[in-house]
Every structure is written in C-alpha cells, then in structure tokens.
Amino acid sequence: MPWINKESCTGCGTCVDECPAGAIYMENDVAVIKDDGCIRCGICHDVCPEDAARHDGERIPEEVQSNLAYAKKLLGHEYYANDKTMQKQLVGRLQRFFTKNKKVAEQTIEQLEILKNTEYP
Ligand code: SF4
Ligand code: SF4
C-alpha cells in the first residue's frame, strides 16, 4: 500500500487531483491515503514532485520492529513472566504464526502469477 511521507509532503495537492480513485485527501496540509479506497495504480508515486508518495516495501524494517515489539510485549505479560519454558513456547507459536503468513504470501504470489497470464474478468 502506498503511503505519504509527511516530512516530505508540501501539500501541493497534485496527488489528490490525479488519483483516479479519489483515495487521497488533505489533512492539515498533508496528503493522506485512504487504504480502503486505493486501487494501487501507482500514479501518486509518479506525480508527486517531492517523492513523498512512498512504496510500502520501505516499511519492512519498521514492520519487523513492530512485530518484535509485539512479541516482547507478550513475553512481558505476567502469564509468561519468569517461566523460560512458557516463553519459549510462546516464541514458537509466534514463529509458526509468521511462517503461516509467509506461506500464504508465497502461495498468493504463485496464484497471482497465473492470474497475470489470464484474461480477466
Ligand atoms: S496508488 Fe493510485 S489509487 Fe492509490 S492512492 Fe495512489 S493514485 Fe490513488
Ligand atoms: S503530490 Fe506529493 S507533495 Fe503534493 S500533496 Fe501529494 S504527496 Fe504531498
């Protein structure tokens, strides 16, 4: 999902005018993308003169840190406190959860490759 780097956005409004899905609006002179309205056309990336419309791939390190923060928060819960065995079990469950998500992503990518070569709709 594209996102707006608030530090770079000057509020020129070009992306709002050019977005074919009406998925961008201004808030306090900064562009905001409505996630549920975006059709992933990529135009905002192309038209922004400040390079403020960014790709979500840049957020991978941020998302990893968020996941780790989540894991540490759970490990700090009193239910797991001072019990190394239970903490290890929790980490194992989280690893299985993210492994499942990885498999979902891999199989989705495979199916999308088929869709790429299919007449649609
Ligand atoms: S990718 Fe396209 S639809 Fe999504 S916010 Fe950018 S211009 Fe709008
Ligand atoms: S085109 Fe770029 S600088 Fe202008 S409002 Fe959109 S994100 Fe901000």
Side-chain angles (χ1 to χ4, degrees):
M1 187 65 62
W3 56 283
I4 304 295
N5 182 348
K6 293 181 180 176
E7 310 300 320
S8 307
C9 177
T10 59
C12 71
T14 303
C15 58
V16 178
D17 295 338
E18 298 293 331
C19 174
I24 311 177
Y25 62 96
M26 301 299 298
E27 188 174 88
N28 299 323
D29 294 327
V30 173
V32 179
I33 295 174
K34 287 183 270 186
D35 287 351
D36 59 352
C38 174
I39 59 170
R40 292 178 173 261
C41 67
I43 287 176
C44 53
H45 301 294
D46 297 337
V47 300
C48 178
E50 308 297 334
D51 211 18
R54 310 298 306 173
H55 296 272
D56 58 0
E58 295 175 61
R59 285 186 151 168
I60 291 173
E62 186 183 315
E63 289 184 26
V64 170
Q65 289 308 313
S66 171
N67 289 337
L68 286 174
Y70 173 65
K72 288 174 183 172
K73 181 181 166 197
L74 294 184
L75 285 166
H77 191 280
E78 59 184 18
Y79 182 74
Y80 297 106
N82 304 317
D83 190 326
K84 198 66 192 163
T85 300
M86 287 180 63
Q87 289 175 345
K88 280 187 179 177
Q89 289 171 345
L90 169 63
V91 171
R93 280 194 293 277
L94 290 171
Q95 286 175 316
R96 288 193 291 279
F97 169 73
F98 286 107
T99 299
K100 184 270 289 178
N101 285 351
K102 181 180 168 187
K103 287 180 180 171
V104 169
E106 287 172 347
Q107 290 180 27
T108 301
I109 291 166
E110 286 173 16
Q111 293 299 315
L112 285 172
E113 192 58 34
I114 294 169
L115 203 57
K116 195 192 280 182
N117 301 310
T118 306
E119 289 284 330
Y120 188 86

